[in-house]
Amino acid sequence: NHQPDILALLVSQFLKFSSLFTRCFVVFLSLLMCVTTVSLLPNSLLYSVAYLLLAAGLGLHLPTLVAGHVLYAMLSCTHPLFMAVISLWAVHKTVISRKPLVDMHFWKR
């Protein structure tokens, strides 16, 4: 009569359980870290990423959208008085002087 070694059977079952538990625990911790990282990001960054992903999905021209978004982010960080001066300059140059804001011929030289 060949009796299975109970201790070896228990150890092998424990090792299988330990291996499975470790893999599941690592996946769980990875997901938890991803969710925690995303929840700690500023909302503006999340909205920017969602905006660009949706724009890319719609087939819009991404370099123009990225440039516009960066320009908007830079302008939204300025002081309101400085924004008023920039706005007055832009209105004066485009409406009163009837010139473009940026002289492309100057920059292409």
XYZ file of all heavy atoms in Angstrom:
859
model
N 0.826 -1.185 0.000
C 0.000 0.000 0.000
C 0.869 1.247 0.000
O 1.693 1.431 0.869
C -0.901 0.031 1.221
C -2.065 -0.922 1.098
O -2.421 -1.323 0.003
N -2.649 -1.278 2.230
N 0.580 2.117 -0.982
C 1.311 3.371 -1.065
C 0.417 4.486 -0.545
O -0.602 4.816 -1.126
C 1.711 3.643 -2.516
C 2.563 4.859 -2.649
N 2.065 6.134 -2.579
C 3.908 5.006 -2.835
C 3.033 7.008 -2.723
N 4.170 6.339 -2.886
N 0.792 5.060 0.570
C 0.038 6.160 1.193
C 0.637 7.483 0.722
O 1.846 7.657 0.745
C 0.149 6.074 2.716
C -0.527 4.887 3.304
C -1.942 5.253 3.756
O -2.323 6.403 3.735
N -2.702 4.238 4.131
N -0.208 8.458 0.256
C 0.343 9.766 -0.122
C 0.854 10.491 1.113
O 0.289 10.385 2.196
C -0.842 10.492 -0.744
C -2.053 9.805 -0.248
C -1.645 8.388 0.076
N 1.920 11.177 0.918
C 2.508 11.928 2.023
C 1.639 13.160 2.270
O 1.553 14.067 1.452
C 3.932 12.335 1.663
C 4.662 12.927 2.845
O 4.158 12.814 3.990
O 5.726 13.536 2.629
N 0.968 13.181 3.407
C 0.022 14.253 3.743
C 0.738 15.593 3.840
O 0.234 16.608 3.350
C -0.715 13.930 5.068
C -1.525 12.662 4.953
C -1.580 15.089 5.509
C -2.701 12.785 4.007
N 1.879 15.603 4.433
C 2.607 16.853 4.601
C 3.023 17.437 3.235
O 2.863 18.636 2.997
C 3.838 16.630 5.483
C 4.624 17.885 5.853
C 3.734 18.870 6.595
C 5.828 17.530 6.666
N 3.514 16.614 2.335
C 3.905 17.091 1.001
C 2.683 17.582 0.230
O 2.756 18.581 -0.493
C 4.601 15.981 0.234
N 1.547 16.913 0.382
C 0.319 17.330 -0.279
C -0.148 18.685 0.253
O -0.532 19.568 -0.527
C -0.766 16.264 -0.071
C -2.083 16.487 -0.796
C -1.875 16.481 -2.295
C -3.075 15.435 -0.388
N -0.118 18.859 1.570
C -0.506 20.140 2.163
C 0.424 21.268 1.731
O -0.023 22.379 1.424
C -0.528 20.030 3.688
C -1.705 19.270 4.291
C -1.520 19.129 5.794
C -2.996 19.981 3.981
N 1.719 20.996 1.699
C 2.685 22.023 1.302
C 2.473 22.416 -0.164
O 2.489 23.602 -0.507
C 4.129 21.533 1.549
C 5.141 22.441 0.873
C 4.406 21.446 3.036
N 2.233 21.436 -1.034
C 2.027 21.763 -2.446
C 0.734 22.562 -2.642
O 0.702 23.510 -3.441
C 2.005 20.496 -3.301
O 0.826 19.762 -3.086
N -0.321 22.214 -1.931
C -1.570 22.971 -2.020
C -1.397 24.388 -1.469
O -1.924 25.342 -2.031
C -2.699 22.255 -1.258
C -3.164 20.984 -1.911
C -3.750 21.229 -3.278
O -4.453 22.210 -3.512
N -3.426 20.352 -4.216
N -0.649 24.513 -0.388
C -0.382 25.837 0.177
C 0.442 26.686 -0.794
O 0.188 27.888 -0.944
C 0.342 25.707 1.519
C 0.685 27.030 2.126
C -0.301 27.814 2.715
C 1.985 27.513 2.083
C 0.002 29.039 3.260
C 2.290 28.743 2.621
C 1.306 29.516 3.211
N 1.425 26.079 -1.457
C 2.238 26.817 -2.422
C 1.403 27.275 -3.619
O 1.574 28.387 -4.116
C 3.414 25.966 -2.884
C 4.526 25.761 -1.843
C 5.590 24.823 -2.387
C 5.143 27.086 -1.447
N 0.476 26.437 -4.089
C -0.409 26.832 -5.183
C -1.301 28.002 -4.754
O -1.460 28.981 -5.484
C -1.294 25.660 -5.616
C -0.595 24.620 -6.423
C -1.576 23.525 -6.821
C -0.866 22.380 -7.488
N -1.789 21.287 -7.819
N -1.879 27.878 -3.551
C -2.724 28.957 -3.038
C -1.926 30.238 -2.851
O -2.379 31.328 -3.210
C -3.371 28.538 -1.710
C -4.089 29.655 -1.026
C -5.334 30.073 -1.481
C -3.517 30.315 0.053
C -5.995 31.109 -0.870
C -4.171 31.359 0.674
C -5.414 31.758 0.214
N -0.738 30.119 -2.312
C 0.111 31.281 -2.077
C 0.473 31.964 -3.398
O 0.447 33.190 -3.505
C 1.370 30.856 -1.333
O 2.256 31.927 -1.209
N 0.795 31.191 -4.402
C 1.131 31.740 -5.710
C -0.071 32.457 -6.327
O 0.058 33.581 -6.834
C 1.610 30.617 -6.631
O 1.789 31.093 -7.933
N -1.233 31.845 -6.290
C -2.446 32.450 -6.831
C -2.816 33.714 -6.050
O -3.159 34.737 -6.635
C -3.593 31.442 -6.803
C -4.926 31.935 -7.334
C -4.811 32.214 -8.828
C -6.008 30.919 -7.061
N -2.736 33.647 -4.731
C -3.057 34.800 -3.894
C -2.099 35.955 -4.176
O -2.524 37.112 -4.269
C -2.999 34.399 -2.417
C -3.298 35.534 -1.482
C -4.606 35.958 -1.293
C -2.281 36.188 -0.815
C -4.893 37.013 -0.446
C -2.552 37.245 0.026
C -3.862 37.658 0.224
N -0.820 35.656 -4.337
C 0.169 36.699 -4.606
C -0.109 37.379 -5.938
O -0.077 38.616 -6.032
C 1.588 36.101 -4.604
O 1.829 35.486 -3.345
C 2.629 37.165 -4.855
N -0.417 36.600 -6.985
C -0.714 37.191 -8.288
C -1.962 38.068 -8.215
O -1.985 39.187 -8.737
C -0.898 36.102 -9.337
C 0.437 35.623 -9.896
C 0.225 34.638 -10.997
N -0.047 33.361 -10.314
C -0.634 32.324 -10.858
N -1.046 32.376 -12.094
N -0.825 31.219 -10.170
N -3.009 37.581 -7.563
C -4.244 38.367 -7.438
C -4.016 39.624 -6.613
O -4.555 40.689 -6.922
C -5.351 37.519 -6.825
S -5.942 36.213 -7.901
N -3.228 39.522 -5.574
C -2.941 40.665 -4.717
C -2.141 41.725 -5.463
O -2.395 42.929 -5.333
C -2.197 40.203 -3.458
C -2.079 41.252 -2.397
C -3.210 41.723 -1.762
C -0.854 41.762 -2.051
C -3.113 42.705 -0.772
C -0.738 42.731 -1.069
C -1.870 43.209 -0.439
N -1.183 41.293 -6.285
C -0.395 42.243 -7.082
C -1.290 42.956 -8.087
O -1.192 44.176 -8.275
C 0.778 41.517 -7.779
C 1.397 42.379 -8.870
C 1.828 41.119 -6.764
N -2.202 42.232 -8.740
C -3.128 42.859 -9.688
C -4.032 43.848 -8.958
O -4.260 44.965 -9.425
C -3.953 41.777 -10.426
C -5.104 42.399 -11.187
C -3.067 40.983 -11.360
N -4.544 43.454 -7.799
C -5.405 44.338 -7.015
C -4.674 45.602 -6.595
O -5.201 46.715 -6.734
C -5.941 43.593 -5.789
C -6.672 44.484 -4.832
C -7.940 44.953 -5.136
C -6.091 44.865 -3.632
C -8.621 45.787 -4.265
C -6.755 45.691 -2.753
C -8.028 46.154 -3.066
N -3.458 45.466 -6.110
C -2.684 46.644 -5.697
C -2.342 47.532 -6.889
O -2.353 48.760 -6.768
C -1.411 46.221 -4.980
C -1.575 45.776 -3.534
C -0.225 45.424 -2.933
C -2.247 46.834 -2.703
N -2.070 46.937 -8.046
C -1.790 47.727 -9.240
C -3.011 48.542 -9.643
O -2.901 49.736 -9.958
C -1.371 46.831 -10.397
O -0.199 46.131 -10.069
N -4.172 47.909 -9.645
C -5.399 48.638 -9.963
C -5.679 49.732 -8.943
O -6.081 50.838 -9.305
C -6.581 47.673 -10.039
C -6.617 46.756 -11.251
C -7.740 45.748 -11.120
C -6.764 47.564 -12.514
N -5.470 49.442 -7.677
C -5.680 50.429 -6.628
C -4.736 51.619 -6.786
O -5.151 52.778 -6.640
C -5.491 49.779 -5.253
C -5.770 50.657 -4.047
C -7.251 51.030 -4.008
C -5.372 49.942 -2.773
N -3.481 51.361 -7.141
C -2.525 52.449 -7.348
C -2.914 53.293 -8.566
O -2.794 54.515 -8.532
C -1.107 51.884 -7.520
C -0.532 51.308 -6.252
S -0.364 52.520 -4.943
C 0.877 53.559 -5.629
N -3.395 52.644 -9.628
C -3.824 53.403 -10.813
C -5.014 54.296 -10.481
O -5.037 55.474 -10.858
C -4.187 52.446 -11.944
S -2.769 51.681 -12.715
N -5.992 53.752 -9.779
C -7.169 54.542 -9.419
C -6.783 55.679 -8.481
O -7.255 56.810 -8.631
C -8.247 53.633 -8.791
C -9.355 54.436 -8.150
C -8.810 52.696 -9.845
N -5.911 55.411 -7.540
C -5.465 56.444 -6.609
C -4.696 57.544 -7.347
O -4.914 58.733 -7.103
C -4.573 55.835 -5.517
O -5.299 54.808 -4.853
C -4.142 56.880 -4.515
N -3.822 57.154 -8.263
C -3.057 58.141 -9.018
C -3.977 59.026 -9.861
O -3.821 60.245 -9.889
C -2.033 57.437 -9.923
O -1.188 56.622 -9.108
C -1.196 58.440 -10.688
N -4.939 58.411 -10.536
C -5.857 59.184 -11.370
C -6.713 60.109 -10.516
O -6.980 61.249 -10.893
C -6.724 58.233 -12.225
C -7.879 58.960 -12.864
C -5.872 57.569 -13.288
N -7.125 59.655 -9.346
C -7.968 60.499 -8.505
C -7.188 61.663 -7.896
O -7.780 62.676 -7.538
C -8.621 59.677 -7.399
O -7.650 59.243 -6.476
N -5.872 61.541 -7.796
C -5.062 62.621 -7.241
C -4.635 63.649 -8.291
O -4.158 64.723 -7.942
C -3.813 62.051 -6.561
C -4.065 61.249 -5.287
C -2.759 60.672 -4.771
C -4.718 62.097 -4.227
N -4.793 63.319 -9.581
C -4.429 64.268 -10.628
C -5.383 65.455 -10.618
O -6.552 65.314 -10.279
C -4.490 63.587 -11.998
C -3.430 62.546 -12.283
C -3.719 61.875 -13.622
C -2.056 63.173 -12.319
N -4.907 66.604 -11.025
C -5.813 67.751 -11.101
C -6.870 67.530 -12.179
O -6.617 66.883 -13.194
C -4.905 68.914 -11.478
C -3.530 68.403 -11.545
C -3.544 66.938 -11.342
N -8.047 68.082 -11.938
C -9.140 67.912 -12.892
C -8.803 68.508 -14.249
O -9.224 67.970 -15.279
C -10.422 68.549 -12.352
C -11.061 67.689 -11.299
O -10.802 66.496 -11.228
N -11.895 68.286 -10.477
N -8.057 69.586 -14.266
C -7.732 70.212 -15.547
C -6.923 69.271 -16.435
O -7.119 69.227 -17.648
C -6.976 71.511 -15.324
O -5.765 71.259 -14.634
N -6.026 68.499 -15.827
C -5.237 67.549 -16.602
C -6.120 66.430 -17.146
O -5.985 66.026 -18.304
C -4.108 66.985 -15.743
C -3.142 66.035 -16.422
C -2.416 66.762 -17.559
C -2.139 65.499 -15.433
N -7.039 65.946 -16.314
C -7.942 64.891 -16.766
C -8.843 65.385 -17.885
O -9.064 64.688 -18.886
C -8.783 64.383 -15.590
C -8.021 63.654 -14.487
C -8.953 63.318 -13.347
C -7.390 62.407 -15.032
N -9.372 66.605 -17.756
C -10.229 67.159 -18.795
C -9.443 67.395 -20.080
O -9.965 67.202 -21.184
C -10.885 68.453 -18.330
C -11.940 68.238 -17.275
C -11.966 69.014 -16.131
C -12.904 67.259 -17.418
C -12.942 68.822 -15.164
C -13.879 67.063 -16.453
C -13.883 67.845 -15.333
O -14.844 67.639 -14.378
N -8.194 67.819 -19.956
C -7.367 68.036 -21.142
C -7.119 66.736 -21.888
O -7.208 66.684 -23.121
C -6.024 68.662 -20.752
O -6.223 69.922 -20.181
N -6.807 65.686 -21.152
C -6.573 64.384 -21.786
C -7.854 63.877 -22.441
O -7.834 63.399 -23.583
C -6.029 63.378 -20.752
C -6.044 61.960 -21.301
C -4.630 63.767 -20.330
N -8.981 64.004 -21.753
C -10.250 63.562 -22.333
C -10.591 64.382 -23.572
O -11.054 63.840 -24.588
C -11.365 63.678 -21.293
N -10.343 65.682 -23.524
C -10.601 66.566 -24.664
C -9.776 66.139 -25.875
O -10.290 66.020 -26.985
C -10.275 68.004 -24.234
C -10.169 69.007 -25.337
C -11.302 69.480 -25.981
C -8.931 69.506 -25.715
C -11.197 70.425 -26.989
C -8.823 70.446 -26.713
C -9.957 70.906 -27.348
O -9.843 71.820 -28.338
N -8.489 65.890 -25.660
C -7.624 65.509 -26.771
C -7.953 64.118 -27.304
O -7.882 63.873 -28.510
C -6.157 65.617 -26.356
C -5.668 67.041 -26.118
C -4.253 67.042 -25.584
C -5.769 67.861 -27.381
N -8.319 63.192 -26.428
C -8.702 61.853 -26.884
C -9.985 61.899 -27.712
O -10.094 61.230 -28.747
C -8.861 60.906 -25.699
C -7.573 60.452 -25.025
C -7.879 59.625 -23.790
C -6.716 59.663 -25.990
N -10.954 62.682 -27.252
C -12.203 62.804 -28.017
C -11.954 63.501 -29.352
O -12.522 63.118 -30.382
C -13.247 63.562 -27.201
C -13.854 62.793 -26.032
C -14.735 63.707 -25.205
C -14.647 61.607 -26.534
N -11.117 64.533 -29.349
C -10.813 65.245 -30.595
C -10.095 64.320 -31.576
O -10.377 64.342 -32.778
C -9.961 66.470 -30.299
N -9.182 63.500 -31.078
C -8.486 62.551 -31.954
C -9.462 61.514 -32.494
O -9.379 61.110 -33.651
C -7.349 61.870 -31.189
N -10.394 61.088 -31.661
C -11.407 60.132 -32.112
C -12.325 60.703 -33.172
O -12.837 59.977 -34.026
N -12.539 62.008 -33.137
C -13.376 62.662 -34.142
C -12.600 63.003 -35.408
O -13.171 63.492 -36.379
C -13.992 63.937 -33.563
C -15.023 63.730 -32.461
C -15.415 65.059 -31.856
C -16.242 63.012 -33.015
N -11.288 62.778 -35.394
C -10.471 63.037 -36.574
C -10.089 64.490 -36.751
O -9.778 64.914 -37.859
N -10.116 65.271 -35.688
C -9.750 66.688 -35.793
C -8.230 66.836 -35.847
O -7.486 65.958 -35.430
C -10.328 67.456 -34.607
C -11.852 67.421 -34.492
C -12.299 68.113 -33.229
C -12.496 68.054 -35.701
N -7.754 67.968 -36.341
C -6.324 68.218 -36.501
C -5.696 68.470 -35.131
O -5.874 69.535 -34.534
C -6.139 69.428 -37.427
C -4.737 69.616 -37.855
N -4.010 70.720 -37.507
C -3.905 68.843 -38.594
C -2.796 70.634 -38.014
N -2.712 69.497 -38.678
N -4.957 67.482 -34.619
C -4.451 67.540 -33.245
C -3.404 68.629 -32.995
O -3.447 69.258 -31.938
C -3.908 66.183 -32.827
C -4.978 65.167 -32.441
C -4.341 63.883 -31.975
C -5.890 65.709 -31.386
N -2.441 68.890 -33.883
C -1.470 69.948 -33.557
C -2.127 71.308 -33.324
O -1.736 72.036 -32.411
C -0.554 69.977 -34.787
C -0.626 68.601 -35.322
C -2.035 68.148 -35.085
N -3.150 71.629 -34.104
C -3.854 72.893 -33.903
C -4.598 72.892 -32.578
O -4.585 73.889 -31.845
C -4.841 73.133 -35.060
O -4.130 73.062 -36.288
C -5.514 74.469 -34.929
N -5.232 71.761 -32.252
C -5.955 71.680 -30.982
C -5.011 71.759 -29.792
O -5.315 72.405 -28.787
C -6.758 70.380 -30.923
C -7.946 70.306 -31.865
C -8.543 68.915 -31.848
C -8.984 71.326 -31.477
N -3.863 71.093 -29.891
C -2.890 71.136 -28.792
C -2.354 72.554 -28.624
O -2.245 73.054 -27.501
C -1.746 70.129 -29.032
C -0.618 70.331 -28.044
C -2.268 68.699 -28.931
N -2.046 73.224 -29.727
C -1.554 74.602 -29.640
C -2.608 75.516 -29.028
O -2.295 76.352 -28.173
C -1.159 75.100 -31.026
N -3.853 75.351 -29.446
C -4.928 76.157 -28.863
C -5.132 75.869 -27.392
O -5.366 76.784 -26.596
N -5.013 74.609 -27.029
C -5.199 74.247 -25.616
C -4.051 74.778 -24.752
O -4.281 75.247 -23.633
C -5.318 72.736 -25.499
C -6.000 72.287 -24.265
N -7.335 72.515 -24.028
C -5.536 71.658 -23.167
C -7.658 72.027 -22.855
N -6.584 71.507 -22.309
N -2.835 74.713 -25.258
C -1.686 75.254 -24.516
C -1.817 76.765 -24.387
O -1.562 77.335 -23.320
C -0.359 74.862 -25.204
C 0.817 75.643 -24.653
C -0.114 73.368 -25.062
N -2.237 77.430 -25.461
C -2.443 78.877 -25.409
C -3.521 79.238 -24.389
O -3.349 80.167 -23.588
C -2.823 79.401 -26.791
C -3.033 80.890 -26.924
C -1.741 81.633 -26.621
C -3.538 81.234 -28.305
N -4.613 78.492 -24.388
C -5.676 78.741 -23.408
C -5.172 78.508 -21.984
O -5.468 79.305 -21.074
C -6.876 77.834 -23.688
C -7.940 77.929 -22.630
C -8.783 79.030 -22.563
C -8.081 76.941 -21.667
C -9.737 79.143 -21.583
C -9.042 77.041 -20.682
C -9.870 78.136 -20.645
O -10.805 78.246 -19.661
N -4.397 77.449 -21.759
C -3.867 77.171 -20.421
C -2.929 78.278 -19.963
O -2.967 78.693 -18.797
C -3.153 75.827 -20.412
N -2.106 78.782 -20.877
C -1.187 79.860 -20.506
C -1.946 81.147 -20.202
O -1.632 81.847 -19.237
C -0.173 80.096 -21.624
C 0.865 79.016 -21.733
S 1.991 79.137 -23.139
C 2.193 80.847 -23.403
N -2.944 81.450 -21.015
C -3.696 82.677 -20.797
C -4.577 82.609 -19.554
O -4.807 83.624 -18.900
C -4.553 82.999 -22.026
C -3.777 83.431 -23.268
C -4.727 83.637 -24.430
C -2.960 84.666 -23.000
N -5.065 81.432 -19.223
C -5.926 81.321 -18.047
C -5.137 81.434 -16.745
O -5.727 81.628 -15.686
C -6.706 80.006 -18.080
O -5.830 78.912 -17.967
N -3.819 81.328 -16.824
C -2.984 81.445 -15.620
C -2.510 82.878 -15.369
O -1.838 83.131 -14.376
C -1.765 80.535 -15.737
S -2.170 78.789 -15.707
N -2.833 83.792 -16.265
C -2.339 85.161 -16.112
C -3.277 85.994 -15.254
O -4.426 85.621 -15.006
C -2.177 85.834 -17.488
O -3.452 85.866 -18.118
C -1.192 85.095 -18.361
N -2.777 87.139 -14.835
C -3.548 88.075 -14.033
C -4.617 88.736 -14.912
O -4.374 89.008 -16.089
C -2.598 89.138 -13.462
C -3.221 89.960 -12.390
N -3.934 91.099 -12.672
C -3.252 89.807 -11.049
C -4.381 91.616 -11.547
N -3.973 90.851 -10.547
N -5.806 89.009 -14.368
C -6.871 89.622 -15.183
C -6.491 90.968 -15.794
O -6.910 91.283 -16.917
C -8.022 89.785 -14.189
C -7.789 88.758 -13.149
C -6.306 88.607 -13.050
N -5.696 91.763 -15.096
C -5.266 93.046 -15.658
C -4.385 92.825 -16.893
O -4.539 93.501 -17.907
C -4.514 93.866 -14.603
C -4.044 95.242 -15.047
C -5.242 96.119 -15.398
C -3.208 95.880 -13.962
N -3.484 91.867 -16.807
C -2.635 91.535 -17.946
C -3.472 91.004 -19.109
O -3.211 91.310 -20.277
C -1.570 90.526 -17.522
C -0.575 90.211 -18.592
C 0.255 91.200 -19.095
C -0.472 88.936 -19.098
C 1.186 90.918 -20.089
C 0.450 88.642 -20.089
C 1.279 89.633 -20.583
N -4.498 90.219 -18.811
C -5.402 89.715 -19.848
C -6.147 90.857 -20.514
O -6.373 90.843 -21.725
C -6.412 88.712 -19.272
C -5.877 87.319 -19.141
S -5.247 86.654 -20.679
C -6.669 86.779 -21.716
N -6.529 91.866 -19.753
C -7.215 93.023 -20.323
C -6.287 93.761 -21.287
O -6.708 94.174 -22.375
C -7.688 93.954 -19.218
N -5.019 93.919 -20.921
C -4.052 94.585 -21.792
C -3.840 93.778 -23.073
O -3.820 94.334 -24.180
C -2.719 94.814 -21.041
C -1.628 95.287 -21.984
C -2.918 95.786 -19.899
N -3.703 92.463 -22.943
C -3.538 91.605 -24.121
C -4.772 91.696 -25.015
O -4.660 91.785 -26.247
C -3.262 90.146 -23.699
C -1.880 90.023 -23.080
C -3.390 89.199 -24.884
C -1.580 88.652 -22.524
N -5.946 91.679 -24.421
C -7.185 91.760 -25.197
C -7.298 93.088 -25.926
O -7.699 93.133 -27.095
C -8.395 91.551 -24.289
O -8.343 90.292 -23.685
N -6.959 94.173 -25.243
C -6.991 95.483 -25.893
C -6.019 95.544 -27.067
O -6.348 96.063 -28.137
C -6.681 96.587 -24.887
C -7.802 96.928 -23.910
C -7.305 97.935 -22.881
C -9.004 97.457 -24.651
N -4.814 95.006 -26.881
C -3.834 94.983 -27.960
C -4.351 94.163 -29.144
O -4.235 94.575 -30.302
C -2.512 94.421 -27.444
C -1.537 94.134 -28.541
C -0.774 95.037 -29.224
C -1.251 92.860 -29.115
N -0.025 94.402 -30.177
C -0.292 93.057 -30.135
C -1.702 91.576 -28.858
C 0.218 92.020 -30.892
C -1.202 90.532 -29.610
C -0.250 90.755 -30.618
N -4.934 92.977 -28.859
C -5.435 92.111 -29.929
C -6.583 92.773 -30.681
O -6.630 92.728 -31.920
C -5.871 90.771 -29.352
N -7.493 93.412 -29.962
C -8.618 94.089 -30.613
C -8.107 95.264 -31.446
O -8.543 95.463 -32.584
C -9.655 94.552 -29.556
C -10.649 95.512 -30.160
C -10.349 93.347 -28.962
N -7.185 96.029 -30.894
C -6.642 97.174 -31.636
C -5.945 96.716 -32.912
O -6.135 97.294 -33.985
C -5.672 97.967 -30.757
C -5.107 99.163 -31.450
N -3.990 99.085 -32.250
C -5.522 100.460 -31.483
C -3.727 100.282 -32.735
N -4.640 101.136 -32.285
N -5.139 95.676 -32.821
C -4.374 95.238 -33.980
C -5.267 94.618 -35.046
O -5.053 94.845 -36.240
C -3.299 94.249 -33.552
C -2.356 93.908 -34.678
C -1.032 93.455 -34.197
C -0.119 93.263 -35.398
N 1.167 92.792 -35.039
N -6.266 93.828 -34.656
C -7.100 93.146 -35.652
C -8.264 93.993 -36.145
O -8.585 93.965 -37.330
C -7.638 91.813 -35.089
O -8.366 92.069 -33.893
C -6.527 90.832 -34.841
N -8.911 94.754 -35.275
C -10.114 95.499 -35.676
C -9.768 96.893 -36.172
O -10.225 97.308 -37.241
C -11.119 95.557 -34.498
C -12.314 96.403 -34.860
C -11.552 94.157 -34.097
N -8.960 97.610 -35.411
C -8.676 98.996 -35.766
C -7.590 99.076 -36.841
O -7.768 99.726 -37.870
C -8.299 99.812 -34.518
C -9.494 99.838 -33.556
C -7.853 101.227 -34.894
C -9.215 100.436 -32.220
N -6.472 98.394 -36.636
C -5.376 98.439 -37.612
C -5.591 97.482 -38.782
O -4.879 97.581 -39.785
C -4.047 98.100 -36.937
O -3.762 99.025 -35.927
N -6.488 96.535 -38.650
C -6.789 95.525 -39.670
C -5.526 94.781 -40.119
O -5.279 94.580 -41.295
C -7.489 96.152 -40.859
C -8.806 96.777 -40.500
C -9.696 96.911 -41.699
N -10.920 97.626 -41.361
C -12.002 97.067 -40.835
N -12.019 95.792 -40.568
N -13.069 97.795 -40.583
N -4.748 94.360 -39.127
C -3.544 93.571 -39.375
C -3.701 92.232 -38.648
O -4.421 92.141 -37.651
C -2.303 94.289 -38.839
C -1.971 95.580 -39.543
C -0.736 96.183 -38.928
C -0.392 97.514 -39.565
N 0.754 98.140 -38.910
N -3.017 91.219 -39.106
C -3.055 89.942 -38.365
C -2.262 90.066 -37.059
O -1.360 90.896 -36.941
C -2.405 88.947 -39.322
C -1.584 89.766 -40.249
C -2.264 91.111 -40.347
N -2.615 89.250 -36.094
C -1.912 89.301 -34.807
C -0.445 88.916 -34.951
O 0.421 89.485 -34.299
C -2.580 88.358 -33.799
C -3.842 88.861 -33.136
C -4.398 87.798 -32.204
C -3.593 90.139 -32.383
N -0.166 87.943 -35.812
C 1.206 87.476 -35.991
C 1.573 87.651 -37.458
O 0.845 87.210 -38.348
C 1.339 85.993 -35.583
C 2.749 85.494 -35.805
C 0.924 85.802 -34.139
N 2.701 88.287 -37.706
C 3.190 88.464 -39.071
C 3.961 87.211 -39.473
O 5.116 87.019 -39.088
C 4.083 89.703 -39.141
C 4.529 90.007 -40.557
O 3.963 89.416 -41.503
O 5.442 90.836 -40.709
N 3.319 86.344 -40.250
C 3.930 85.073 -40.630
C 5.118 85.275 -41.570
O 6.056 84.484 -41.555
C 2.896 84.157 -41.290
C 1.796 83.719 -40.342
S 2.418 82.919 -38.845
C 2.965 81.387 -39.505
N 5.121 86.324 -42.390
C 6.247 86.583 -43.290
C 7.517 86.903 -42.517
O 8.611 86.515 -42.907
C 5.918 87.727 -44.262
C 4.754 87.421 -45.155
N 4.797 86.429 -46.103
C 3.506 87.942 -45.219
C 3.631 86.365 -46.731
N 2.828 87.291 -46.201
N 7.360 87.591 -41.390
C 8.509 87.905 -40.552
C 9.132 86.637 -39.978
O 10.346 86.486 -39.940
C 8.090 88.846 -39.418
C 9.190 89.134 -38.436
C 10.209 90.021 -38.746
C 9.229 88.496 -37.205
C 11.227 90.281 -37.856
C 10.243 88.741 -36.308
C 11.249 89.637 -36.638
N 8.299 85.690 -39.543
C 8.790 84.476 -38.895
C 9.275 83.437 -39.896
O 10.018 82.536 -39.532
C 7.708 83.879 -38.011
C 7.416 84.752 -36.850
C 6.336 85.563 -36.677
C 8.243 84.945 -35.697
N 6.424 86.243 -35.498
C 7.597 85.878 -34.860
C 9.469 84.431 -35.283
C 8.115 86.300 -33.657
C 9.982 84.843 -34.067
C 9.314 85.778 -33.272
N 8.873 83.539 -41.157
C 9.325 82.571 -42.165
C 10.674 82.937 -42.773
O 11.265 82.146 -43.464
C 8.272 82.467 -43.282
C 7.045 81.729 -42.853
C 6.079 81.585 -43.995
C 4.848 80.828 -43.548
N 3.867 80.666 -44.649
N 11.157 84.138 -42.533
C 12.456 84.538 -43.084
C 13.583 83.786 -42.463
O 13.654 83.352 -41.418
C 12.701 86.026 -42.856
C 11.850 86.889 -43.718
C 12.262 88.310 -43.542
N 11.045 89.098 -43.358
C 11.015 90.328 -42.937
N 12.111 90.934 -42.614
N 9.902 90.980 -42.824
